[in-house]
Each structure stands twice: as C-alpha cells, then as structure tokens.
Amino acid sequence: MSELRFDGKVAIVTGAGHGLGRSHALLLAERGARVVVNDLGGALDGTGSSTGPAAEVAEMITKNGGEALANADSVATPEGAEAVVRAAVDTFGRLDILVNNAGILRDKSFGKMTVEEFDAVLAVHVRGSFLMSRAAFGHMKEQRYGRIVNTSSPAGLFGNFGQANYSTAKMGLVGLTKTLGIEGARAGIKANAIAPIAWTRMTEALLPAEFEQRFTADRVSPLVAFLAHESCETSGEVFSVGAGRVSRVFVAEGPGWRTDDLTMESIRDNWDAICAEEPHLTPTTLGEQASASMKAML
C-alpha cells in the first residue's frame, strides 16, 4: 500500500516543544510537511517563556532534511494566534493543517480552585484553540482545503478529580470541533479531535508509573497525522487514542420517554425508561437531535 505523505503541505503544531506536540511535529515533518513549531516555552502552569523548546524541535526537523520554523508566540491572545498563522503563510506560502495541542495545567480540588486558575486553563486550551482556528480558517476557506485537529482529553469526556478547569476546557473543545466540522464542510475543511492517553510531562504525576513505556507520545501521533491527511474524509468526530488503541467516542441519546402531562411524579415513576440507553441515537447536528424529539411526539 502507498505511504501517506504531506509533500507540499504546511502544518502548524501548537505546544510542539514537548510531549505530544513534539511527536506530532516530528511525524508530520518526516512525512514531508513543512512545519511551524509553536511553543511558548513556559512551565506546566503557563508561567514564563522561552524560545528554546520550539527552536530545538525545529532544529531536529531541519537536521533530518525537513523544513521547519520555530515560533514562540502565545496562542491565548488574538495577536499571538494571528502571528503564528502569518508566520506560516509568509514563510511557506500557505497553510493546510492546524494541530491545536498547546495546553497548561493548574490542578486543584474544586473547593480550592481560584477564578484565576480556572480562567488561565480555559484561556490556553479553549480560547487558544478558537483563536488559532479563527486565524487559520480564512486561509483554509480561500484555498478550499484544510485540516484541523484539536486535543480533547478523557478528563473532559469523563471528568477527573482536581481538574474542573481542565475538564471543562477539554469538553469545550468537543463542541468547538463539531461546529468547525459543520461550518467547514462546504470549504473542504475537516475538523476532528483526539482524546489521548500518553505519558508526558503534563500527565506523569497523574498516570501510574507502568504507563510510561506503553503510553508513549509516538503511539498517539499516527492518528493525528491521519486525521490531518487529505485522504481522511471524516469530520466532526472525537477519537480516543493511547498505547496503540484507537476508538471513536460519540455522544448518544437514549430512546427516552414522553408524555403530554409531564410532572415531577411522572418523571419519578418512569425514571428507568428515561435512563435507558438502547436503542440510542447519535445525532451529528442540533437539528438532528431536535428532529428526533419531534418524531417522538408523533
């Protein structure tokens, strides 16, 4: 079978100085993409900055015969996001792929979490992905082609103690991804999200030590690269990935129960039917979900 390559394509990978982003950037470059390696170079909590991490990865790519540009602008500001995209277009002439991977942690139990700690995490994960996607969207729409890969998390899909900010941000990215998939369809822009499990500097304090050897970043990046490839026609989906396993994650709605006389007591008496999971519906748009509700009334 032919090898999937990115010759002639230009990619931006945010948070590419370490961990997953670094792995994504190296794989895309290995397969022929010209890569803008973006990383603010700060600490895990988002403080500080350094050009070193992005420059190091870009140097690795060029030493291996690829083309790369290091960039240390912040994705959490409109000016920073625009600067990252402008750097790609000015240097390489186009932009085909955006991998939103940048993130920080400010873990703390809900009762102790400050507003600033909540807002800071959303600013990078959600606002940053929105700003980067917004900056890239116009270029992709003009050329009638683009691939956007967002980074969600099992913490967002299923929750996790001490990560109310992170979980909120990561589930927010699911909604962003699905909407980008809908709005980008006419312009040939595909958007998907991954929910990775990988041993990185962001997760080493959360995952068991035995995960380190099996849940490596390079066992996540092939999915990111496939979702970023022109041959991938899927859009608006979320995929769990870790240790070589890939699976689709979907939001489903059970068959439900309805009555023309809805009361608290009738809900109580029919709670089992309300909570039933089968046969389930997996709407891909708000309209599909509303349509299903209307059908139930007939």
Side-chain angles (χ1 to χ4, degrees), residues 246-266:
V246 181
S247 64
R248 176 178 172 238
V249 179
F250 55 91
V251 177
E253 182 173 338
W257 167 85
R258 73 164 302 278
T259 178
D260 288 328
D261 184 26
L262 191 67
T263 65
M264 291 174 60
E265 290 74 22
S266 66

Side-chain angles (χ1 to χ4, degrees), residues 9-294:
K9 296 291 192 291
V10 176
I12 292 173
V13 182
T14 69
H18 303 278
L20 286 170
R22 176 181 182 275
S23 179
H24 303 339
L26 292 174
L27 178 57
L28 290 169
E30 179 186 321
R31 294 298 183 101
R34 292 170 287 175
V35 182
V36 175
V37 181
N38 166 263
D39 199 295
L40 184 62
L44 279 178
D45 64 0
T47 58
S49 63
S50 170
T51 59
E56 181 182 345
V57 175
E59 185 179 359
M60 291 177 64
I61 290 172
T62 55
K63 281 186 176 180
N64 289 331
E67 294 183 64
L69 173 70
N71 176 278
D73 287 300
S74 171
V75 303
T77 69
E79 298 79 12
E82 290 286 350
V84 180
V85 171
R86 187 167 56 251
V89 175
D90 289 350
T91 303
F92 299 124
R94 58 184 294 122
L95 174 59
D96 304 283
I97 299 161
L98 170 62
V99 180
N100 285 314
N101 172 77
I104 65 171
L105 289 178
R106 299 270 180 103
D107 291 356
K108 194 167 289 185
S109 62
F110 186 75
K112 297 179 180 179
M113 185 174 292
T114 66
V115 173
E116 190 277 331
E117 288 165 338
F118 185 86
D119 288 347
V121 170
L122 267 68
V124 178
H125 291 272
V126 181
R127 179 179 165 88
S129 295
F130 162 73
L131 291 173
M132 286 299 304
S133 299
R134 187 184 69 162
F137 202 83
H139 295 279
M140 293 179 173
K141 188 175 181 180
E142 184 175 344
Q143 66 194 16
R144 308 293 297 175
Y145 178 84
R147 296 290 185 267
I148 298 173
V149 183
N150 291 323
T151 308
S152 183
S153 169
L157 297 171
F158 310 114
N160 194 38
F161 185 90
Q163 292 193 312
N165 47 9
Y166 184 79
S167 297
T168 301
K170 291 304 189 181
M171 195 59 181
L173 286 169
V174 172
L176 176 63
T177 299
K178 291 186 174 295
T179 299
L180 285 174
I182 294 169
E183 295 196 17
R186 292 184 180 180
I189 301 171
K190 312 293 186 185
N192 291 285
I194 64 167
I197 305 175
W199 182 278
T200 69
R201 67 173 188 156
M202 288 186 70
T203 62
E204 61 183 3
L206 302 172
L207 297 177
E210 57 267 25
F211 275 41
E212 183 174 4
Q213 298 303 316
R214 296 182 60 197
F215 288 82
T216 54
D218 60 5
R219 302 188 78 181
V220 170
S221 296
L223 173 61
V224 171
F226 175 72
L227 294 174
H229 196 265
E230 61 187 354
S231 65
C232 180
E233 291 298 322
T234 298
S235 192
E237 298 290 352
V238 181
F239 297 90
S240 173
V241 55
R245 176 181 176 271
V246 181
S247 64
R248 176 178 172 238
V249 179
F250 55 91
V251 177
E253 182 173 338
W257 167 85
R258 73 164 302 278
T259 178
D260 288 328
D261 184 26
L262 191 67
T263 65
M264 291 174 60
E265 290 74 22
S266 66
I267 291 174
R268 175 199 62 198
D269 296 341
N270 291 278
W271 192 244
D272 287 345
I274 291 169
C275 293
E277 298 177 359
E278 300 293 342
H280 65 252
L281 170 73
T282 56
T284 58
T285 66
L286 180 62
E288 283 187 15
Q289 193 273 344
S291 177
S293 296
M294 288 294 294

